[in-house]
Amino acid sequence: MPVSEIAIWSAMLGGLLTLAALALGDALGSRSRGSMRNLLFVVLTGASCVVMTGLPEALFPFLPGHPLMVLKASLGPLAGGVALYYLGSWLGGEREDPLVHRLTAWGGAAVFLAAVVLALLASQVSSDQFRPVLLAAAVVNMVPVLLAMVAVIRATRRGDPLARWMLLAIVCLAAMVSGLYLRGLDAPGLGPGFWLFTAVITMVYFLAATVLGILRNRHNRKLARLSRVQQGADPVTGLHTGSALIAEVEHVFWRTARQQGECSVICVNVSNLYELTDSAGPGVEHQILVTLAARVRRAAGFRCVVGQYHPRCFVVVMFTDKHAAPLNETLAHLRFMVGESLSVVDEKQAHHTFQPRLGIGVVTHAPAHAKPMDILNEAERLALAQIANWSRPQGPDATTEHEIVTAPQPLR
């Protein structure tokens, strides 16, 4: 083998080892089934590519020839069958499209059996009779390529957003398989330029397949994480919302009534939550909500119930006893901490400053006969009234932006 060709295949080997290391790191980091499949795919398919180039016997001439013949005949179809089966899982499996699932599962099984047959044939023939076996392996190895292309085209038409990119990867796969088997068959008239193209297209395929695999695995892990969010909790902030919030408020009311104490419900309304949508794009409000939720929880402390009445409105419910922090101190912490400006990052990694405009309403009451919904609505009404008050033209007696509005008298 010429030195130039050894250099080309060695560079390809280095790229494959780098991708294998990245896949190993993702597998160790996430420890998910998808990342393990991606690692096995990179290792198995990469090994079949390296074997087909003839690089192992060029670098290590003392290697036995017969085992290499068996590997060249079987490793490519074996990797193709496994990759086809994994592609079906990547496309969603039977739950997404039963036809694609049957195409990839049964096709992968058939190619796997063909790889076993080719390995047995290669183990029984001499080196002079090996070319027809390798030619049969090339034909078999094109079967999963064609099946994969059919499956990906169908997934693209059915709306899979990543399938169109996988289609480009399958086109690269077809070129890669053709080039590597032409190298294994020692096709005449092909020089270093063609081998360089084959090596480059091989790396493009592996890079595209690996990136798409990681993207789909991360998306699936995110969906699994969101599906495990506690029922009744906001998936962005993790705070109680809906019926879970009402149940928590009822429990605080019941406990406070047994202790014959008073309970305060604080509503913190963020009136300008969506004001950066035009300049920073949609989605930045999630960053804002996560930050503000952490600030509300930190200012209120962990003995209070903290929830989200709706995206703009945070709720703090606290009861007063000798061990609880004074209400005015908690309100001061909320006003100071939640009202501070914060920085958000848009899709273009540009930074934007968000200055919360808050309305804070407080209702303090003896909760013996109080209804949580009535108290929450009253506290929110006071917060909205405070926002409307400082939104009007400012006069000498107008309230300031972060002034707190409290119910004029306790609700009994």
Side-chain angles (χ1 to χ4, degrees), residues 8-187:
I8 291 173
W9 301 132
S10 297
M12 188 188 80
L13 174 61
L16 292 175
L17 290 175
T18 302
L19 292 177
L22 293 176
L24 177 62
D26 183 61
L28 293 177
S30 63
R31 298 181 181 179
S32 65
R33 185 179 301 177
S35 60
M36 293 301 297
R37 284 199 300 260
N38 185 49
L39 174 61
L40 181 59
F41 159 75
V42 172
V43 172
L44 183 60
T45 311
S48 67
C49 293
V50 173
V51 168
M52 287 304 303
T53 62
L55 184 63
E57 55 263 42
L59 296 179
F60 307 100
F62 54 85
L63 290 176
H66 217 68
L68 286 175
M69 289 169 50
V70 175
L71 289 177
K72 287 184 179 181
S74 61
L75 202 54
L78 177 63
V82 172
L84 183 63
Y85 179 80
Y86 285 172
L87 177 65
S89 300
W90 185 87
L91 291 173
E94 190 174 10
R95 69 180 183 275
E96 291 288 341
D97 192 338
L99 179 60
V100 168
H101 173 71
R102 290 194 296 269
L103 186 70
T104 55
W106 294 353
V111 175
F112 181 84
L113 292 177
V116 175
V117 172
L118 287 169
L120 293 175
L121 289 176
S123 64
Q124 301 299 320
V125 300
S126 62
S127 58
D128 296 336
Q129 301 171 327
F130 177 64
R131 186 179 178 87
V133 177
L134 188 59
L135 185 60
V139 174
V140 170
N141 215 12
M142 290 303 296
V143 172
V145 176
L146 297 177
L147 293 179
M149 189 166 294
V150 172
V152 173
I153 290 175
R154 179 176 172 86
T156 302
R157 290 178 176 177
R158 292 173 68 90
D160 190 326
L162 292 180
R164 65 186 65 183
W165 299 108
M166 184 58 78
L167 182 59
L168 296 177
I170 299 301
V171 173
C172 295
L173 173 63
M176 178 193 82
V177 171
S178 302
L180 290 175
Y181 274 100
L182 287 174
R183 173 63 189 86
L185 292 167
D186 290 326

Side-chain angles (χ1 to χ4, degrees), residues 247-268:
E248 290 290 330
V249 175
E250 287 179 342
H251 179 71
V252 174
F253 285 5
W254 172 81
R255 184 175 57 183
T256 306
R258 289 194 61 185
Q259 297 176 358
Q260 299 181 347
E262 288 189 336
C263 191
S264 297
V265 176
I266 306 168
C267 279
V268 182

